[in-house]
Amino acid sequence: MSAGKIVDLNKLCIHTITTKHWSIEEAAENYSKVGVKGISVWRQYLDGRNIAGTGEMLRAHGLEIVSLVRGGFFASTSLDARNKALAANKKAIDEAAALGAPMIVLVCGADPGQPLEVSRQQIQAGIETLLPHAIESGVKLAIEPLHPMYADTRSAVNTLAQANDMAEAIDSEYVGVAADVYHIWWDPDLEQQLMRCGRNNNLFAFHICDWMSPTVDFLNDRGLMGEGCIPIRKIRGWAEAAGFRGYNEVEIFSDRLWSGDQHEFLKRIVKSYYQS
Amino acid sequence: MSAGKIVDLNKLCIHTITTKHWSIEEAAENYSKVGVKGISVWRQYLDGRNIAGTGEMLRAHGLEIVSLVRGGFFASTSLDARNKALAANKKAIDEAAALGAPMIVLVCGADPGQPLEVSRQQIQAGIETLLPHAIESGVKLAIEPLHPMYADTRSAVNTLAQANDMAEAIDSEYVGVAADVYHIWWDPDLEQQLMRCGRNNNLFAFHICDWMSPTVDFLNDRGLMGEGCIPIRKIRGWAEAAGFRGYNEVEIFSDRLWSGDQHEFLKRIVKSYYQS
């Protein structure tokens, strides 16, 4: 078996945002029908629902809950906004615990009104503040480095090296890294930083999709695996070599793919997953 | 005088693409009227002109020719395309020599159909192939690392560290680096990589503009200095600390700024330059 090759669906997880127009009940039913084994739940899909009951519903469909998406947004020039973010993150941790999600993905945030270094300090301080509540709740926190094109507002953590630095500085088994190929595929240090991440038991999550050429929208023009130029299998091989045994989480934001038939889209996800 | 602070226009250069709609004759006249001292010439502005004569015209307006923009695009899955790129780069070197430009900026290229490592090898091989002609012509080559959002097609060189690595590997006083704040502002290693670049006498050029929040177009939504979130003065201070004494080259692609009165835009460039 060659490194990174997909042989079955046992490690296929889908983020609910990927099939944006489906409720979580529809997603659960449709994912499980085609053999998807994991689900990562975006918080808006829990709105108005009994969260513990929703977790039971997902497990009853044979789905493992991989992560709750998302916490973060710790960085701001406003102390009030930072405090509100901490409160929102505590609520997210409570939701993850109620749902039975073992982990929250952190989109760490940035504020164009302050230096990146300040945002980075606020992010680390925010995570450290949350950590006791996360530990008590049994919910891990995964720092997701975001592509440098999001450094102004979405995340001041823009490389796997930075995420590794931060996770190692915080030094808790409850804090690690979510590696999304979309954000880090271009990085010349990717292989060595994945190895470092694994060596420190910090590789908590692995997200996949593809980079379209050309990309026409900063947020919502991700591709299905194989549609773009990301060497997903090679990167997965590195993650496996680094000891990662978790899910491949398909996280695609795409106005193009959201506009068509969603059952057809789900079939294409499964097909392209095998080929990825 | 604080680090990076602008006190006069002696080191202000503008790229002709910045005032896109002006011919090079109009640009020369208008730049010199407002006290701009340097000009970087995009090759399309030389179309149909006597190049040596155009160089004389620019100097007669009191403008120093800082660079010819641009060579590069070395990476391709097609051998024929790579050979054509080499021929085009030789022509660019000849044009730079005729114009009296001491340097060509290289946008190195990438091809989504092949691994980044292969593109990176082709880039280095391309520069090495060109080098004897560049030396003979007295024209330096500046490797410009491009933002990771361009890694699929425009450049497989995406960090200053990579550009430094490549310039040091080639090891010629004719090969260095062009540092554009737009492409590298997010990099946590920026200060140390600028220092390294200067220490090796490889910091050939310094380009400025700003990163808009939000940015709405992948190519043509750069901001005037001060409109966005790039800490230009801080980065310039690092470049100066690294020994850089060259021009601040204003390189702005902006559908928004191109759509208004260009004399007004030029005034805003000068004003925002002082504040940058």
Side-chain angles (χ1 to χ4, degrees):
Chain A
M1 191 177 90
S2 69
K5 191 165 162 47
I6 296 298
V7 294
D8 58 40
L9 298 184
N10 284 342
K11 290 298 179 186
L12 173 57
C13 166
I14 300 180
H15 280 232
T16 53
I17 191 73
T18 299
T19 51
K20 181 179 175 177
H21 304 300
W22 284 343
S23 68
I24 195 163
E25 291 80 10
E26 292 170 317
E29 185 175 341
N30 296 327
Y31 293 1
S32 86
K33 265 189 198 160
V34 298
V36 174
K37 301 298 184 190
I39 187 167
S40 282
V41 178
W42 281 54
R43 293 178 66 196
Q44 60 266 43
Y45 292 90
L46 298 174
D47 280 352
R49 285 170 176 76
N50 176 300
I51 294 178
T54 302
E56 285 167 26
M57 179 275 291
L58 295 174
R59 285 182 289 274
H61 276 90
L63 293 167
E64 183 170 343
I65 302 169
V66 177
S67 57
L68 184 70
V69 191
R70 55 199 189 187
F73 292 100
F74 300 107
S76 173
T77 56
S78 152
L79 175 61
D80 184 54
R82 296 202 299 279
N83 286 334
K84 281 185 178 152
L86 286 174
N89 275 283
K90 278 182 191 163
K91 185 161 176 286
I93 290 170
D94 294 337
E95 288 177 11
L99 187 68
M103 166 170 67
I104 293 179
V105 177
L106 300 179
V107 171
C108 294
D111 188 322
Q114 66 187 15
L116 284 166
E117 305 80 62
V118 174
S119 291
R120 288 161 185 163
Q121 289 157 6
Q122 290 172 350
I123 292 164
Q124 184 168 334
I127 296 171
E128 287 169 340
T129 303
L130 283 179
L131 187 54
H133 188 60
I135 293 172
E136 196 181 332
S137 309
V139 174
K140 295 187 173 188
L141 304 174
I143 300 166
E144 182 172 22
L146 256 55
H147 195 285
M149 72 186 180
Y150 301 123
D152 57 338
T153 51
R154 278 190 168 67
S155 182
V157 178
N158 306 107
T159 63
L160 190 49
Q162 285 179 286
N164 277 332
D165 286 347
M166 199 172 284
E168 290 169 25
I170 297 171
D171 192 21
S172 160
E173 61 183 310
Y174 278 81
V175 175
V177 173
D180 183 325
V181 298
Y182 192 74
H183 296 301
I184 58 181
W185 73 278
W186 58 271
D187 187 344
D189 290 330
L190 184 53
E191 181 178 8
Q192 74 187 78
Q193 290 296 332
L194 277 172
M195 294 305 155
R196 171 186 166 195
C197 195
R199 205 161 51 236
N200 291 287
N201 299 314
N202 282 334
L203 190 46
F204 284 8
F206 186 68
H207 297 183
I208 60 174
C209 68
D210 216 333
W211 182 281
M212 302 300 292
S213 293
T215 294
V216 299
D217 186 272
F218 274 83
L219 273 181
N220 297 328
D221 191 27
R222 298 185 178 202
L224 272 165
M225 296 74 77
E227 287 191 315
C229 60
I230 300 179
I232 299 171
R233 186 171 298 180
K234 180 161 69 178
I235 300 172
R236 183 189 297 115
W238 293 337
E240 289 175 357
F244 184 73
R245 297 292 177 267
Y247 279 86
N248 288 267
E249 302 182 41
V250 177
E251 185 188 30
I252 300 174
F253 318 142
S254 166
D255 292 329
R256 172 179 57 93
L257 295 165
W258 285 334
S259 71
D261 178 87
Q262 296 300 281
H263 290 280
E264 203 52 48
F265 177 30
L266 180 58
K267 279 186 204 163
R268 291 180 66 193
I269 291 173
V270 172
K271 188 174 172 191
S272 65
Y273 175 62
Y274 270 115
Q275 293 165 351
S276 76
Chain B
M1 191 177 89
S2 69
K5 191 164 158 53
I6 297 298
V7 294
D8 58 40
L9 298 183
N10 284 343
K11 291 296 180 187
L12 172 58
C13 166
I14 300 180
H15 280 233
T16 54
I17 193 73
T18 299
T19 52
K20 181 179 175 177
H21 304 300
W22 284 343
S23 68
I24 194 164
E25 292 80 12
E26 291 171 318
E29 185 174 342
N30 296 327
Y31 292 1
S32 87
K33 265 189 198 159
V34 298
V36 175
K37 301 298 183 190
I39 186 167
S40 281
V41 178
W42 281 54
R43 293 178 67 196
Q44 59 265 44
Y45 292 89
L46 298 174
D47 281 353
R49 285 168 174 78
N50 177 299
I51 294 177
T54 302
E56 285 168 25
M57 179 277 291
L58 295 174
R59 286 183 289 274
H61 276 91
L63 293 166
E64 183 170 344
I65 302 169
V66 177
S67 57
L68 184 70
V69 191
R70 56 198 187 185
F73 291 100
F74 299 108
S76 173
T77 55
S78 152
L79 175 63
D80 185 54
R82 295 201 300 278
N83 285 333
K84 280 184 180 151
L86 286 173
N89 275 284
K90 279 183 190 163
K91 186 162 175 286
I93 290 170
D94 294 337
E95 288 176 13
L99 187 68
M103 167 170 65
I104 293 178
V105 176
L106 300 179
V107 171
C108 293
D111 188 322
Q114 67 186 13
L116 284 166
E117 306 79 63
V118 174
S119 290
R120 287 161 185 163
Q121 289 158 6
Q122 291 171 350
I123 292 164
Q124 184 168 333
I127 296 171
E128 286 170 340
T129 302
L130 283 179
L131 186 54
H133 188 61
I135 294 172
E136 197 181 332
S137 309
V139 174
K140 294 186 174 189
L141 304 174
I143 300 165
E144 182 173 22
L146 255 58
H147 195 285
M149 71 185 179
Y150 301 124
D152 57 337
T153 52
R154 278 189 167 66
S155 182
V157 178
N158 305 108
T159 63
L160 190 49
Q162 285 179 288
N164 277 333
D165 286 347
M166 200 174 283
E168 290 168 27
I170 296 171
D171 192 20
S172 161
E173 62 183 311
Y174 278 81
V175 176
V177 173
D180 184 324
V181 298
Y182 192 75
H183 297 300
I184 59 181
W185 72 278
W186 57 272
D187 188 343
D189 290 330
L190 185 52
E191 180 178 8
Q192 74 186 78
Q193 291 296 332
L194 277 171
M195 294 305 156
R196 171 186 166 194
C197 194
R199 206 162 51 237
N200 291 287
N201 298 314
N202 282 334
L203 190 46
F204 284 9
F206 187 68
H207 297 184
I208 59 174
C209 67
D210 216 333
W211 182 280
M212 302 299 292
S213 295
T215 294
V216 298
D217 185 273
F218 274 82
L219 273 180
N220 297 327
D221 192 26
R222 298 186 179 201
L224 272 165
M225 295 74 76
E227 287 192 312
C229 60
I230 301 178
I232 299 172
R233 187 173 296 181
K234 179 160 70 176
I235 300 173
R236 184 190 296 115
W238 293 337
E240 289 175 357
F244 185 72
R245 296 292 176 266
Y247 279 86
N248 288 267
E249 303 182 42
V250 177
E251 186 187 29
I252 301 175
F253 318 142
S254 167
D255 292 329
R256 173 180 57 92
L257 295 164
W258 286 334
S259 71
D261 178 89
Q262 296 300 281
H263 291 279
E264 203 51 48
F265 177 31
L266 180 58
K267 278 187 205 162
R268 291 180 67 192
I269 291 172
V270 172
K271 189 174 173 192
S272 65
Y273 175 63
Y274 270 115
Q275 294 166 349
S276 76

